[in-house]
Amino acid sequence: MRDAAFAVSPYLRALETTSHGVVVRSWYPAESALVGSANLATAASAVADYTERFGPLPFTEVEVVTTYGVLGGMEYPGIVFTAQAGGALEGLPLLPGLLRYAGFTRAQERYVIGHEVAHQWWYAAVGNDQVVEPWLDEGFAELSTRLWLRSKEGDDRTWMMTNFVPDSETEEGVVSAAVEDFATNTGYTRSVYLAGSKVLLNLRSRVGSERFDEVMRVYYRRNYLEIASVDEF
């Protein structure tokens, strides 16, 4: 483990299943059983896809914890936190219900879990300097999420709905950009996450999906439990 995190609450309940030898648990507030069940299915599906696509994890448990925090998620080795998509909007008239009805709430939860679970490969298993070379974990996690969603849904609709864009474009310098190069979180997200994943998608389209997948597997294997670099990739 590179670091550790934990959640404490008297109201948490859990569901679990096994995916490719990994015990996946979904922890959720007692009144949110449907969210907990959906998150379990999402996480187990992502674990299966990433294991087949990149290789096995160094640990045998992945915990997904639903919190009352604001929109988004956070990753740690073996455990990820995801906020309920409507949590930041509760108390406002109509809007939370409209987002649920339109499918945004579930799409957001699905996207966030896919991205944070991908960090178990890109950051937890294959480490990197997250401040100096964030593309190696955020761009790679975003690519993994997009490929997993495409394999399950056949298109980018969940990704487009949650990022509010029809696609992303590459930007000069995103591969070598550091966190300190951005003045806002929006600019950082647009460049490192969205444009960063597009660099990898463009590479995949140029060399072909089979060769690209092999490159990713070799990179994962060579840097497993090590600290990787952009130069190494």
Side-chain angles (χ1 to χ4, degrees), residues 23-172:
V23 176
V24 181
R25 292 190 187 90
S26 171
W27 296 87
Y28 56 91
E31 74 277 9
S32 303
L34 290 179
V35 171
S37 178
N39 287 354
L40 178 68
T42 297
S45 174
V47 166
D49 184 274
Y50 304 152
T51 301
E52 294 173 1
R53 196 179 298 275
F54 308 123
L57 289 174
F59 37 80
T60 58
E61 297 181 12
V62 170
E63 320 285 339
V64 177
V65 184
T66 302
T67 74
Y68 290 108
V70 296
L71 190 65
M74 188 62 199
E75 75 280 357
Y76 300 94
I79 183 172
V80 302
F81 298 103
T82 176
Q84 295 191 69
L89 305 174
E90 288 304 326
L92 295 178
L94 297 179
L95 192 54
L98 287 173
L99 290 177
R100 283 191 291 270
Y101 182 78
F104 172 81
T105 299
R106 185 59 208 144
Q108 179 71 28
E109 290 166 347
R110 184 171 171 81
Y111 164 77
V112 169
I113 290 172
H115 180 92
E116 305 306 343
V117 169
H119 276 302
Q120 302 307 306
W121 280 259
W122 315 118
Y123 145 72
V126 174
N128 66 292
D129 189 323
Q130 296 173 283
V131 175
V132 176
E133 296 183 328
W135 177 68
L136 283 177
D137 59 275
E138 296 298 358
F140 283 46
E142 191 70 8
L143 165 84
S144 304
T145 307
R146 294 187 70 172
L147 293 180
W148 162 66
L149 287 170
R150 286 179 181 180
S151 73
K152 297 304 176 185
E153 301 175 355
D155 55 34
D156 282 325
R157 64 182 181 272
T158 292
W159 186 87
M160 291 188 293
M161 182 183 296
T162 53
N163 286 287
F164 305 106
V165 292
D167 199 359
S168 55
E169 297 298 331
T170 56
E171 296 179 9
E172 187 174 351

